Amino acid sequence: MPDQPATSSSSSASLSRLAIDRSAGPALRRRRPLWKRWWPWLILLVVVAAAALAVRERQAPMAVDFATVASAYPSASVAVLNATGRVVAARRASVSSKGTGRLEWLGVQEGQMVKEGDVIARLENRDVAAQRDQAQAQVQAARANLVQGEAELADAQAALKRARDLAKQNFISGSALDTAEARYNKARAVIESLKAQIGVAEANARVAGVAYDQTLIRAPFTGIVLTKSANVGDIVTPFSSASGTTGAVVTMADMETLEVEADVSESSIARIRVGQPAEIQLDAFPDLRLLGEVSRIVPTVDRSKATLLVKVTFVERDARVLPDMSAKIGFLSRPLAADERKPVPAVRPDAIVKRDGRDVVFVVTRDEQGGERVKSQPVTVGAKVGDLVRIDLAPGTRVVSAPGERLVDGATVTAAKK
């Protein structure tokens, strides 16, 4: 019992320590350090991402369209009309035989030059040759008969002279003189008959010769063989109407008569006149430009196409020009000067821009890593050449077409997807 008061007092002391001190103010909370807060890190992350994106955009190739400095001809600036056509030979023939027979010999190849009158093929003609020889022999026989008749005429004339001399001296009778005169007149008639026979024989010989010549196929003019339509052993007929036969043996053209035919719209025909200068460009040889001249305008309108046929002759000729080649014709407003016939470098006008008051183009170059970069290149702009503008850059140089304000010197570029 004596211990109870002590226990009670200790408990009261412990409870007093646990009591809330109302007199003291509210305790201040401790703030976290700045590096432990989340929002500064978020701001920093956004700034770094934006900087990385900007760097990436600067380093990423810019998509652009490329163009190439071309070799343009100044004639484009004086052309009033352009047309397409093809080369044709005004003098062209499919050579055939007038006779019918088997082709025995063919002496030409494609591309071979032949002269007028040259034998280029031959039909089997042994029978025709024999008939020709027979006709010529008949001519010789008729001429020999004439010689014999002339000898008989000379003898009859001499006999008649003697008879007349003897009749004057009354050494022969009148009947003997009559006989001599009759013999002379008969000899003269025989001479006329023999001369007529010679004429008939010569005519027969000419017929046989023509028949023989018809077996020889000759070049009708000087030109080049374009195609062969028959081979040795084929049956050749003038009209090729029978099955298994052919008409033309070869096709040839006179290369001195080459010209270009072009269909021109009737709405544009007023720009063309006979004698107008023209420039001819062959599709097979793009760098070959030949001078031409409008020779004639065919006065017939093709209603299905509403065009007229215009023919242009070559003022300049080239051995490479062949029939049926495709060609482009530029009808010019005036003849070209000598310096206007040479190509000049030119580019599309949108490839030229102003930078710091100068005309520049952005030339595309390749760096060490294989990428493509642009370099600002000042240029001197010249006259227009058709749809292009003349500049002082080498043909074939790659440039940027229509560069924007964002394109700067040294920027990496790539071809824009279309």
Side-chain angles (χ1 to χ4, degrees):
M1 291 302 295
D3 295 333
Q4 290 180 351
T7 304
S8 177
S9 61
S10 62
S11 298
S12 298
S14 296
L15 291 173
S16 64
R17 287 194 300 267
L18 293 176
I20 299 173
D21 187 4
R22 302 288 183 180
S23 62
L28 296 175
R29 296 181 180 178
R30 181 181 295 178
R31 295 187 177 184
R32 293 184 179 182
L34 185 61
W35 62 271
K36 287 186 178 182
R37 299 177 185 178
W38 62 270
W39 56 268
W41 292 104
L42 179 60
I43 295 175
L44 180 62
L45 180 61
V46 171
V47 172
V48 171
L53 183 60
V55 172
R56 182 177 179 182
E57 286 182 352
R58 289 191 60 185
Q59 294 179 348
M62 182 182 297
V64 296
D65 293 325
F66 294 135
T68 304
V69 179
S71 293
Y73 285 82
S75 58
S77 59
V78 297
V80 296
L81 183 67
N82 294 312
T84 59
R86 65 187 185 96
V87 180
V88 298
R91 198 177 186 188
R92 177 172 176 155
S94 297
V95 185
S96 61
S97 169
K98 190 175 180 180
T100 301
R102 187 180 300 276
L103 188 63
E104 184 179 51
W105 175 77
L106 182 61
V108 294
Q109 298 290 335
E110 294 90 340
Q112 181 176 339
M113 173 70 74
V114 294
K115 295 182 179 180
E116 181 179 357
D118 288 350
V119 177
I120 59 178
R122 183 180 65 245
L123 304 181
E124 289 182 351
N125 57 8
R126 287 185 292 274
D127 54 343
V128 182
Q131 294 173 2
R132 181 197 59 178
D133 295 342
Q134 182 181 10
Q136 291 176 351
Q138 290 174 352
V139 172
Q140 297 298 326
R143 290 174 178 172
N145 291 335
L146 177 61
V147 173
Q148 182 180 357
E150 289 176 345
E152 291 179 356
L153 176 61
D155 183 60
Q157 186 177 7
L160 177 60
K161 182 179 181 182
R162 288 192 301 271
R164 286 175 178 174
D165 291 341
L166 292 175
K168 290 180 181 179
Q169 301 176 10
N170 294 322
F171 289 157
I172 60 172
S173 62
S175 62
L177 179 61
D178 293 340
T179 301
E181 289 180 350
R183 180 189 173 196
Y184 173 74
N185 292 332
K186 182 180 180 180
R188 288 181 59 187
V190 169
I191 290 298
E192 297 299 326
S193 176
L194 292 175
K195 289 181 178 179
Q197 290 178 11
I198 291 175
V200 173
E202 289 178 343
N204 291 334
R206 287 194 296 270
V207 171
V210 170
Y212 179 81
D213 285 341
Q214 288 178 355
T215 64
L216 303 177
I217 303 175
R218 301 178 183 272
F221 49 79
T222 300
I224 289 181
V225 176
L226 302 180
T227 60
K228 292 195 307 180
S229 304
N231 294 309
V232 173
D234 290 344
I235 300 297
V236 178
T237 64
F239 306 105
S240 185
S241 58
S243 176
T245 64
T246 184
V249 177
V250 298
T251 301
M252 58 180 298
D254 185 355
M255 306 303 283
E256 296 298 322
T257 64
L258 291 181
E259 58 186 10
V260 179
E261 291 183 349
D263 289 326
V264 177
S265 172
E266 61 178 325
S267 61
S268 303
I269 200 65
R271 306 180 192 176
I272 301 175
R273 68 182 188 280
V274 175
Q276 182 176 359
E279 187 179 50
I280 304 170
Q281 177 188 6
L282 301 176
D283 291 355
F285 306 101
D287 295 332
L288 180 63
R289 304 275 180 132
L290 300 175
L291 294 180
E293 184 180 85
V294 178
S295 62
R296 55 198 183 278
I297 301 173
V298 179
T300 302
V301 179
D302 186 346
R303 291 314 318 162
S304 62
K305 298 185 293 184
T307 58
L308 283 85
L309 186 63
V310 178
K311 298 192 177 185
V312 179
T313 59
F314 285 90
V315 175
E316 294 178 328
R317 299 191 178 275
D318 192 280
R320 292 172 289 179
V321 181
L322 299 175
D324 295 325
M325 278 186 170
S326 298
K328 296 181 179 66
I329 306 173
F331 297 97
L332 309 178
S333 59
R334 57 173 176 80
L336 294 176
D339 57 347
E340 291 178 325
R341 302 194 59 196
K342 298 178 181 179
V344 295
V347 74
R348 291 167 50 182
D350 59 2
I352 305 172
V353 294
K354 289 285 186 179
R355 290 291 190 273
D356 298 330
R358 297 184 301 174
D359 293 319
V360 300
V361 296
F362 286 92
V363 178
V364 181
T365 60
R366 192 170 293 275
D367 57 20
E368 297 178 355
Q369 289 75 27
E372 291 180 326
R373 293 182 178 274
V374 294
K375 180 181 179 181
S376 176
Q377 177 70 44
V379 293
T380 301
V381 180
K384 292 193 65 176
V385 184
D387 296 332
L388 306 179
V389 177
R390 183 173 179 176
I391 59 173
D392 53 347
L393 281 182
T397 304
R398 295 178 67 204
V399 297
V400 176
S401 176
E405 293 293 336
R406 295 175 54 222
L407 187 63
V408 295
D409 195 1
T412 58
V413 293
T414 185
K417 295 181 179 180
K418 297 182 179 180

